[in-house]
């Protein structure tokens, strides 16, 4: 015959269990699901084209964060702003990122697509990200001078105007300190080597670090 526990004692036992459960939850570090998520939407420059993916600047970013944020690399080699705009809504729904890095436009420029089309696609991505509650960091890119000064100026101006209009931080040129260094570029002259990836991360970091801190991520002094 099972022994019955008095009602008062049962209530006391339940209260103690709930208290211990609360204390355990407070003592356990935040799980991976609770970490801020950083979504990177890019092309081959962020997809580590021609090198080991672990050597790419996005992977180096994840290493620098030491698990304090989850970095989701949704970059695809050959991606255009139109392709990124089509994929972004589902990625926002799936990952619910707190920060979105937009690194697109290089393939638009290489294909000679209208700068107005690039502006429309990136503007839509910025607005969709902000509507989903994410901060946006825009990563600018340049194109070779043989496309002509008029087209090149219109192309690069897109990033500056979008950053100003939507009040988002901008890295003017992701390949600053890389593009003109032959030793840091692959044989095709378009894609950076593994040795260039830390430079690219350092180009991104000053604009990204404040967004990370605003999301409660504590950054060590050596990371700055």
């Amino acid at each position: 015959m099972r022994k019955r526990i008095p009602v008062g004692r049962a209530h006391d036992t339940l209260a103690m269990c709930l208290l211990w459960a609360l204390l355990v939850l407070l003592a356990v570090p935040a799980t991976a699901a609770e970490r801020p998520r950083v979504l990177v939407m890019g092309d081959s420059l962020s997809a580590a084209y021609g090198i080991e993916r672990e050597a790419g600047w996005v992977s180096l970013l994840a290493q620098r964060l030491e698990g304090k944020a989850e970095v989701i690399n949704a970059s695809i080699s050959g991606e255009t702003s139109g392709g990124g705009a089509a994929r972004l809504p589902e990625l926002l729904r799936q990952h619910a990122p707190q920060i979105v890095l937009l690194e697109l436009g290089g393939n638009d420029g290489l294909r000679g697509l209208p700068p107005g089309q690039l502006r429309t696609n990136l503007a839509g991505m910025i607005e969709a990200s902000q509507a989903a509650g994410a901060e946006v960091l825009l990563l600018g890119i340049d194109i070779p001078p043989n496309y002509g000064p008029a087209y090149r100026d219109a192309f690069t101006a897109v990033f500056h105007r979008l950053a100003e209009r939507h009040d988002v931080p901008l890295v003017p040129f992701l390949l600053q300190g890389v593009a003109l260094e032959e030793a840091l570029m692959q044989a095709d002259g378009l894609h950076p080597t593994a040795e260039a990836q830390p430079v690219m991360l350092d180009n991104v970091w000053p604009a990204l670090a404040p967004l990370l801190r605003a999301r409660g991520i504590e950054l060590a002094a050596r990371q700055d």
Side-chain angles (χ1 to χ4, degrees), residues 21-174:
L22 177 60
L23 292 174
V24 168
L25 287 174
L26 292 175
V28 174
T31 64
E34 295 169 328
R35 294 177 297 166
R37 299 183 187 91
V38 179
L39 174 66
V40 181
M41 289 288 296
D43 50 33
S44 56
L45 297 179
S46 298
Y49 175 87
I51 61 175
E52 294 293 331
R53 193 171 180 87
E54 292 75 17
W57 75 265
V58 179
S59 294
L60 296 181
L61 169 63
Q63 294 174 29
R64 181 176 290 191
L65 291 176
E66 300 176 333
K68 296 175 182 176
E70 180 183 1
V71 179
I72 303 155
N73 193 355
S75 304
I76 298 177
S77 293
E79 184 72 290
T80 62
S81 64
R87 290 193 300 123
L88 181 61
E90 174 58 22
L91 290 167
L92 292 174
R93 185 200 66 78
Q94 180 180 352
H95 298 291
Q98 284 74 44
I99 301 173
V100 175
L101 276 60
L102 297 181
E103 181 275 299
L104 289 168
N107 289 306
D108 295 60
L110 294 177
R111 297 180 186 186
L113 299 179
Q117 180 176 313
L118 171 63
R119 181 175 61 252
T120 298
N121 291 335
L122 289 179
M125 296 179 76
I126 293 171
E127 292 166 1
S129 300
Q130 291 176 333
E135 297 285 348
V136 176
L137 173 57
L138 192 58
L139 307 183
I141 196 65
D142 201 350
I143 54 174
N146 57 294
Y147 281 76
Y151 181 79
R152 189 182 184 191
D153 290 346
F155 177 86
T156 55
V158 166
F159 298 98
H160 294 273
R161 290 174 181 170
L162 285 174
E164 182 177 356
R165 177 179 178 182
H166 294 277
D167 192 25
V168 299
L170 168 68
V171 175
F173 186 31
L174 178 61

Side-chain angles (χ1 to χ4, degrees), residues 150-214:
Y151 181 79
R152 189 182 184 191
D153 290 346
F155 177 86
T156 55
V158 166
F159 298 98
H160 294 273
R161 290 174 181 170
L162 285 174
E164 182 177 356
R165 177 179 178 182
H166 294 277
D167 192 25
V168 299
L170 168 68
V171 175
F173 186 31
L174 178 61
L175 297 182
Q176 182 68 38
V178 172
L180 298 181
E181 298 295 331
E182 186 175 348
L184 296 180
M185 297 297 291
Q186 297 182 40
D188 60 11
L190 296 174
H191 297 96
T193 63
E195 291 73 20
Q197 304 301 312
V199 180
M200 296 166 65
L201 175 56
D202 286 344
N203 289 339
V204 173
W205 188 254
L208 177 59
L211 301 183
L212 294 170
R213 290 194 186 92

